[in-house]
Amino acid sequence: MSWHTKEIDETIKELDTSSQGLSSLEAKRRLEKFGPNELKKKKKRTPLLMILDQFKDFLIITLLFAAIIAGVVGEPVDALAILAIVVLNAIIGFIQEFRAEKAIEALRLMAAPTATVLRDGIPQNIPASEIVPGDVVIIEAGRIVPADMRLIEAARLKAEEAALTGESIPVEKQTKALADEKLSLGDRTNMVYSGTAISYGRGVGVVVATGMNTELGRIAHMLEEEKDVRTPLQHRLAVFSKKLALAILVIVAIIFAFGLARGVPIVLMFLTSVSLAVAAIPEALPAVITISLAFGASKLVKQNALIRKLPAVETLGSVTYICSDKTGTLTLNKMTVEEIYVDEKLLRQDQFEQLEKGAEKLKQGIEKLEEDIEKLKANNHLGKQETLSWPLIDLLKAMALSNDAALGEEGKVIGDPTEVALYVLAKKMSFSKEALLKEFPRIAEIPFDSERKLMTTFHKWADGKIVSFTKGAIEAISERASAIVTSEGIKEFNINEIYKINDRMATDGLRVIGIAMRSWDALPDDMSPANVEKELIVLGLVGMMDPPREEAKEAVHLCKTAGIKAVMITGDHPITARAIAKRIGIIEDDSVITGRELDELRLEDFERQVENIRVYSRVAPEQKLKIVKALQDKNQFVAMTGDGVNDAPALRRANIGIAMGITGTDVAKEASDMILLDDNFATIVRAVKEGRRIYDNILKFIKYSLTSNAGTIWVIFLAPFLGLPLPMLPIQILWMNLLCDSLPGLALTSEPEEKDIMNRPPRPYNEGVFAPGRGRFILVFGFLVGVTALALQAFTLNAGMAWQTMVFTSLVLGRMAVAMAVRSERDSLLRIGIFSNKPLIGAVLLTFALQMTVVYIPALNTIFKTQPLGIKELIITLSVSAVALIAVELEKLFLRRQV
C-alpha cells in the first residue's frame, strides 16, 4: 500500500488506530494476528549436509575412485595424497557455504531491540518484536527505527537511510502527504523504515508494516530466494572433468585390450592400465586451484581487497560488467566545494589553488583583525584584505562562522557533509572557524528546518554591531534578498541572473546553496524567521559535490581496454549521476535511466537495452537485482558493489558480490564474495587483473598436465603397434605422476601476469578448457612428446642401451620442458625471463635431482627397476627431453610473425 500518498487522518483511520496509539488489549490481539515484529528464520541446513554436498562434484568423485584403485594396487602414498586433496577441497567448500548462512543473521541484528510506543495513551518502552501495525511510536536522534512507519509528527527530523536506499546524506523528514505513488523509497520523506537510524531531531510515527512485511523484511525474503551462482571455473571444470574421465576410460580400455592381444600377462597389463588411468587424471588440479586462489587472495588483501570466498578470485578474471555504487566507490564520499559564484564571477576548483597562494598572505591577518575592523566601510561589508577581493573574504568568513561543523578527534572535521565542505574550504583559505569565533562570537541562531530550508546565525561585530549570516536553498535566499555584494559595492539583486548561475552549476551536478548577510545595530527582539530572514545581502553561491576519485577515471579507462563495461548504479539524483559518470568516462552522452523509467520498462524491452545502459539513478533494491539478472540472462558475468542492506540480494545473486569495507553494513559483507577495504573502484580493477592472472595460470597447469599425460598415453598406446615392449612399468608411471604433477604444477601458479592481460576481452563463459587452441596444443605436443619417447625407445633398444630408464627419464624431464614452454601463450621464454618464476625453476631443479636419485642410487634402482645412465646416455636423454620446448618456442615465433 502507498502509505506515503495518504493524509495522516486517512492513515490512522485505515489502520483503525488513533494518535494516542492502541490499547494494550488491541495490541495483544494484533500481535496474535500479525505475529512478532521480526524477520523469519529460514530452516538451516545442517553442517553434515553441507559437508556431504562437497563430494557431489564429478571430478571429486573421479578422484575418490582413483584413490581407491591406487590403494588396491598397492600405492598407498598416491591414495593418501589424492584423499588429502579431496578433503581439503571439501573443507574449503564447507567454510564458504557456512559463511553464506550468516547473511540473514546479520540482517536480523539490524532490528531495534526496544522501542517507545503509546499504549493506552501512555508512553511505554517495549521489546521491538512486540510492535504491531497501528502502534504509535516515538522516535528520536540515536534510535533505530523499529518498523515501517508513516510520520504524523516531525520536529527537525533526519534519518540516515544509506543502508536501505543508498542516499549518502541524512534525509530530512516531514509529515505532508505526497502525491506520486511511484516515488522511490529515498523520496518518501513522510516515511521512516525499519533498520534505519534517526540522526537528528524527533518524531512520532504510526506503524504500517512489521516483520517480513517491512522493506527490510522484503530484502530478507529476496536474500533467501537468491542462490549462489556457479563460477566460470566451476562450470568449465564440470564439463572438462566429465569429458576427461570418459576419454581416459576409453583409452585405458583400448590399451588393456591390445596388451592382452599381444600376450602381455593379464596382471601386468591390468596394473599398467590402472596406473595409466591414475596418472592421466590431473589429481593435483583441485590442489593447484585451491592454492593458487589462496595465494591470490593473500596478494589481494595487501591491495585492499579481502576475499571471503576463494572462487571469487578466479571469477574476477571473467567479469564482463562491473556495476558500481557511486558514493565512496567512484567518488571520495566527501562533499567538496567545486565552484563559487562571488563578485559576479564563477570560480572553479582549479582556481582555488591560485587563491590559496593569495590566502597565504592572510595567515597573519586573523591575529590583526582589529586593524581590519577599523577598515570597515559604510556599505556594511565585513573587512578588507589586499590579497583577496573583499566580497570573497566576506563569503569565506560567512562559510566559517555560520557553520556547525567542528574539529573532532585526530583533527577530523565532523558534522553535516555540506557544512564540513564549507568549513574545509574556509580553513584552507586561512579563515579558521575557531580563530574567527574568538573575534566574532556566535550569540544567537535560528536552526535549519526543512520548511524554510534556511539557517541563520548572529555574531558580534565591530563597534558593537551585530551581523547575521543566512545560508540555504537558492530559492529561499532569492525570495528574501534585496541586494548583492560586489567589489564595486552593493548592487541591486538580480534574481534572474542568480537563477541562471544556479542552473548552470546544477547542470554540472553540483548541490548549490546561497549565503547572505544582514547588519544589525543590536540583536532584534523579534527573532522569528519572518523578521530576521529578509532584506538580505547576497554574498555568493557555493556549488558542492562528492567528487570522483582521481584514480577512478584511469580505472574506468582500464576497464574499457580490458573489454569490461563499467556501470554506475546510484540512489542519487540523475543530474549528479550524469555529471560524475561523464567526468570519469563511463558515459559521453547524457543517457541515464531512472528507477521509475526502469519500472515502466517491460522485462523483454529492458533485456534488449541492458547491455547498453551505463548509468542508473534512484534505483530500488529489487531493481538492482533486476539489473543483475538481466545482464546474466545475456550471458554476462557481473560484479556488483554495494554497502547497504538494500544491496544484499543483488550481491548474493551477482557472479561476484563486492561489499564496502568502510561504509558497508554487516548484511552486505556477509552476502558478498569480496570486501573492498578502501571502498575504491580502482581496487576492483586491480583485483580483476589478479583474477585473470590466476585463471591464466590454472589453464597453464591444465595445459602442462594434460600435454604431459597425453605424451605418456601415446607412448603406452602406440608401443604395441610398433612392436615395442611396454615402455614403462606401473611403478615408474606412478612415480612420474607423483613427482611431476605436484611441485612443478603448483609452481606454475606463481607465474607473473602476461603483458597484455588487461588489453584483451574477458574469456567467454561458454569457452571450454580446451578452447581456444588448448585442445590442439595438448594433442599435438602430447603426441610429439610420445613420438620422441618412442623414437628414443626404438633407437636405444637396438643400440643396447638402458632403454627403459632413458625413456622413463626423458618423459619426466620432458614434462619439465613442457612446464617451461607453457609459461606464456606467445612470448618466448627468453623474453619473459627464464628466472622470472623462481618457484618453477626451483621445482624443475628439484624434480631433476629426485629423478637422478632414482637413476643413480642402487637401493632405488631395485625399487623402480632402473639402471644408472652413462654420460652419453644422459646427454641423449636430455636432448630428447628438450624437443618439446624447442618445438613450442618455434610455434610461438611463427605466431608472433603472423601478427
Side-chain angles (χ1 to χ4, degrees):
M1 191 173 289
S2 302
W3 293 104
H4 62 282
T5 64
K6 300 184 182 300
E7 297 291 346
I8 292 173
D9 290 344
E10 187 182 0
T11 302
I12 288 172
K13 184 178 179 182
E14 288 205 23
L15 291 166
D16 193 18
T17 185
S18 74
S19 59
Q20 296 302 304
L22 300 169
S23 67
S24 298
L25 191 64
E26 177 61 17
K28 185 178 179 181
R29 188 188 68 79
R30 293 191 186 192
L31 186 61
E32 290 174 359
K33 178 181 178 182
F34 294 105
N37 177 35
E38 56 190 21
L39 302 183
K40 289 180 181 176
K41 293 184 179 181
K42 180 184 176 184
K43 187 179 179 182
K44 290 184 179 179
R45 295 168 67 225
T46 65
L48 179 61
L49 280 175
M50 289 184 195
I51 290 172
L52 291 176
D53 279 348
Q54 308 310 315
F55 295 93
K56 290 181 178 178
D57 183 81
F58 190 82
L59 181 59
I60 298 299
I61 293 169
T62 306
L63 287 176
L64 286 171
F65 182 68
I68 293 167
I69 292 175
V72 169
V73 299
E75 294 299 332
V77 174
D78 255 29
L80 289 172
I82 295 170
L83 285 174
I85 289 166
V86 170
V87 170
L88 178 65
N89 189 72
I91 289 169
I92 290 168
F94 167 74
I95 290 170
Q96 291 164 7
E97 195 166 339
F98 187 74
R99 279 179 175 174
E101 293 289 329
K102 291 184 179 179
I104 300 296
E105 290 298 325
L107 198 59
R108 287 193 195 96
L109 292 176
M110 290 192 65
T114 61
T116 304
V117 302
L118 289 177
R119 292 273 173 89
D120 303 313
I122 302 168
Q124 296 180 28
N125 205 38
I126 66 168
S129 60
E130 295 179 9
I131 287 177
V132 295
D135 260 328
V136 173
V137 181
I138 299 168
I139 49 176
E140 57 190 2
R143 299 298 294 267
I144 302 294
V145 178
D148 289 0
M149 297 189 286
R150 168 69 165 90
L151 291 170
I152 57 177
E153 289 181 28
R156 289 154 53 191
L157 186 68
K158 289 185 181 182
E160 175 58 65
E161 297 182 338
L164 191 65
T165 66
E167 185 64 57
S168 57
I169 59 176
V171 181
E172 297 160 18
K173 296 295 181 179
Q174 52 85 35
T175 59
K176 292 180 181 176
L178 302 167
D180 191 345
E181 281 192 14
K182 295 184 178 179
L183 282 177
S184 64
L185 293 183
D187 293 323
R188 298 177 188 179
T189 54
N190 58 7
M191 300 284 296
V192 286
Y193 295 100
S194 177
T196 60
I198 302 301
S199 60
Y200 194 82
R202 63 176 299 280
V204 178
V206 59
V207 174
V208 298
T210 59
M212 293 299 286
N213 294 320
T214 63
E215 292 296 328
L216 196 66
R218 195 160 57 89
I219 292 169
H221 180 70
M222 287 193 290
L223 195 56
E224 284 184 345
E225 292 295 309
E226 291 310 318
K227 306 297 181 188
D228 290 332
V229 180
R230 290 176 86 186
T231 71
L233 190 61
Q234 288 169 334
H235 169 77
R236 288 164 185 151
L237 286 182
V239 175
F240 161 71
S241 57
K242 288 175 184 176
K243 289 181 178 178
L244 181 65
L246 184 62
I248 289 170
L249 288 173
V250 171
I251 292 168
V252 167
I254 293 171
I255 290 172
F256 180 73
F258 271 94
L260 291 181
R262 291 191 71 240
V264 178
I266 188 167
V267 174
L268 177 60
M269 204 61 234
F270 176 75
L271 290 175
T272 302
S273 300
V274 169
S275 299
L276 193 62
V278 171
I281 295 171
E283 65 266 25
L285 181 57
V288 166
I289 291 170
T290 300
I291 291 169
S292 61
L293 294 179
F295 283 162
S298 176
K299 185 177 177 180
L300 283 172
V301 78
K302 295 173 186 174
Q303 299 176 26
N304 292 313
L306 176 64
I307 302 298
R308 292 187 65 256
K309 301 174 184 176
L310 275 186
V313 181
E314 174 272 325
T315 308
L316 280 162
S318 301
V319 162
T320 56
Y321 278 76
I322 301 177
C323 299
S324 174
D325 274 349
K326 175 185 71 67
T327 306
T329 310
L330 293 167
T331 66
L332 292 171
N333 196 22
K334 181 173 70 176
M335 289 295 281
T336 305
V337 176
E338 294 269 312
E339 293 181 353
I340 294 173
Y341 178 73
V342 64
D343 196 12
E344 300 180 309
K345 300 182 190 72
L346 194 62
L347 304 176
R348 294 182 177 85
Q349 196 177 44
D350 55 353
Q351 296 170 284
F352 294 170
E353 291 182 11
Q354 299 173 15
L355 294 173
E356 280 184 62
K357 292 175 183 176
E360 287 293 321
K361 299 178 183 179
L362 293 175
K363 285 185 177 178
Q364 304 302 319
I366 294 175
E367 297 174 4
K368 301 175 182 178
L369 280 174
E370 291 296 332
E371 297 175 19
D372 299 334
I373 293 168
E374 291 174 7
K375 296 179 182 179
L376 280 170
K377 293 186 175 181
N379 59 11
N380 287 326
H381 75 272
L382 306 181
K384 183 177 181 181
Q385 304 290 343
E386 296 302 321
T387 50
L388 299 177
S389 69
W390 62 262
L392 178 55
I393 292 169
D394 294 350
L395 181 62
L396 290 168
K397 285 182 178 177
M399 284 185 197
L401 289 167
S402 185
N403 196 320
D404 287 334
L407 276 178
E409 294 180 4
E410 300 178 356
K412 185 179 180 181
V413 185
I414 54 175
D416 181 86
T418 299
E419 299 208 311
V420 168
L422 298 175
Y423 178 103
V424 168
L425 181 64
K427 186 165 181 126
K428 191 183 285 187
M429 295 294 191
S430 299
F431 289 85
S432 164
K433 173 186 173 181
E434 290 75 19
L436 286 172
L437 280 175
K438 292 176 184 176
E439 298 295 329
F440 312 121
R442 186 186 295 191
I443 56 174
E445 66 180 276
I446 304 175
F448 178 90
D449 71 54
S450 56
E451 294 294 325
R452 45 184 247 287
K453 293 183 170 60
L454 293 171
M455 165 189 176
T456 298
T457 60
F458 292 83
H459 301 266
K460 283 186 179 179
W461 216 256
D463 301 327
K465 287 186 176 291
I466 305 294
V467 168
S468 65
F469 295 114
T470 301
K471 72 170 188 258
I474 294 299
E475 296 81 2
I477 291 283
S478 298
E479 289 169 3
R480 295 162 173 81
S482 60
I484 188 169
V485 172
T486 73
S487 53
E488 297 172 5
I490 304 297
K491 289 187 176 181
E492 185 178 348
F493 182 69
N494 184 337
I495 193 168
N496 292 328
E497 179 65 21
I498 289 297
Y499 278 156
K500 189 188 297 182
I501 297 297
N502 177 60
D503 291 345
R504 153 76 180 72
M505 294 168 83
T507 302
D508 286 343
L510 302 182
R511 183 185 182 194
V512 188
I513 66 166
I515 301 179
M517 60 155 287
R518 186 176 174 185
S519 184
W520 307 79
D521 292 326
L523 197 66
D525 294 327
D526 181 1
M527 289 288 286
S528 66
N531 180 56
V532 170
E533 294 168 347
K534 66 180 182 180
E535 298 175 16
L536 300 176
I537 301 172
V538 174
L539 295 173
L541 275 61
V542 182
M544 290 165 283
M545 79 179 327
D546 177 12
R549 292 177 179 267
E550 285 291 326
E551 59 272 34
K553 187 171 184 179
E554 183 184 347
V556 168
H557 174 72
L558 196 57
C559 281
K560 288 180 179 178
T561 64
I564 300 168
K565 310 290 193 305
V567 177
M568 179 194 291
I569 303 178
T570 178
D572 222 327
H573 195 279
I575 292 175
T576 308
R578 183 182 296 116
I580 294 291
K582 277 187 170 182
R583 283 175 63 168
I584 61 178
I586 289 180
I587 57 172
E588 295 177 3
D589 54 18
D590 291 336
S591 57
V592 175
I593 185 168
T594 65
R596 173 178 289 188
E597 291 166 342
L598 187 56
D599 257 349
E600 292 169 356
L601 274 176
R602 290 187 309 162
L603 184 60
E604 301 79 28
D605 295 333
F606 176 52
E607 289 197 345
R608 275 196 294 271
Q609 300 177 39
V610 67
E611 292 176 296
N612 299 315
I613 299 171
R614 297 289 177 271
V615 182
Y616 299 84
S617 68
R618 292 296 196 211
V619 292
E622 64 271 18
Q623 291 175 324
K624 290 188 176 185
L625 196 54
K626 182 178 179 180
I627 294 165
V628 171
K629 286 181 175 179
L631 286 169
Q632 289 174 337
D633 286 346
K634 290 290 185 177
N635 293 322
Q636 301 296 344
F637 256 74
V638 186
M640 167 69 79
T641 74
D643 56 4
V645 182
N646 60 331
D647 298 319
L651 291 177
R652 173 69 69 83
R653 174 69 189 193
N655 300 97
I656 176 162
I658 305 170
M660 302 298 107
I662 299 172
T663 59
T665 59
D666 287 345
V667 182
K669 289 173 184 175
E670 290 294 344
S672 70
D673 303 291
M674 181 175 100
I675 298 172
L676 291 186
L677 300 179
D678 60 355
D679 290 11
N680 192 337
F681 182 82
T683 300
I684 304 173
V685 180
R686 288 195 294 271
V688 167
K689 183 179 178 181
E690 180 64 13
R692 288 189 175 191
R693 183 190 72 83
I694 287 168
Y695 185 61
D696 281 357
N697 289 349
I698 290 170
L699 289 179
K700 286 170 187 175
F701 168 78
I702 292 174
K703 199 172 174 181
Y704 153 72
S705 181
L706 293 187
T707 301
S708 302
N709 291 351
T712 306
I713 290 172
W714 280 119
V715 169
I716 305 295
F717 181 68
L718 292 176
F721 293 99
L722 300 174
L724 296 171
L726 203 61
M728 284 195 299
L729 299 174
I731 192 168
Q732 293 172 345
I733 295 171
L734 292 171
W735 165 255
M736 180 173 63
N737 180 54
L738 184 65
L739 187 64
C740 299
D741 259 14
S742 51
L743 291 178
L746 292 173
L748 273 173
T749 64
S750 302
E751 190 66 33
E753 70 272 4
E754 299 199 38
K755 292 175 183 177
D756 67 341
I757 198 164
M758 291 300 280
N759 291 321
R760 65 184 192 222
R763 297 183 188 274
Y765 175 72
N766 56 0
E767 178 187 292
V769 169
F770 296 114
R774 280 184 292 276
R776 180 199 62 81
F777 183 98
I778 290 164
L779 288 174
V780 170
F781 289 101
F783 183 74
L784 178 64
V785 169
V787 167
T788 53
L790 285 169
L792 177 66
Q793 181 184 3
F795 172 75
T796 53
L797 188 64
N798 290 330
M801 296 180 180
W803 66 269
Q804 195 166 61
T805 301
M806 291 176 74
V807 170
F808 172 33
T809 303
S810 74
L811 285 171
V812 169
L813 300 183
R815 288 187 175 215
M816 298 305 97
V818 172
M820 297 297 287
V822 300
R823 289 179 57 192
S824 174
E825 294 277 345
R826 302 180 69 86
D827 291 333
S828 72
L829 188 57
L830 292 175
R831 186 172 182 182
I832 64 174
I834 293 174
F835 298 100
S836 58
N837 186 345
K838 290 181 175 60
L840 181 58
I841 295 298
V844 169
L845 293 175
L846 181 60
T847 301
F848 178 81
L850 290 172
Q851 181 62 19
M852 290 303 100
T853 64
V854 168
V855 172
Y856 290 105
I857 293 177
L860 296 177
N861 291 157
T862 306
I863 296 171
F864 289 97
K865 310 293 188 293
T866 54
Q867 297 172 253
L869 301 177
I871 294 296
K872 182 181 177 181
E873 291 172 320
L874 184 61
I875 290 172
I876 292 171
T877 302
L878 290 172
S879 300
V880 171
S881 302
V883 169
L885 175 59
I886 295 167
V888 174
E889 288 298 311
L890 288 173
E891 185 192 51
K892 289 181 190 177
L893 179 63
F894 175 76
L895 289 173
R896 288 197 300 274
R897 289 185 173 179
Q898 290 292 99
V899 177

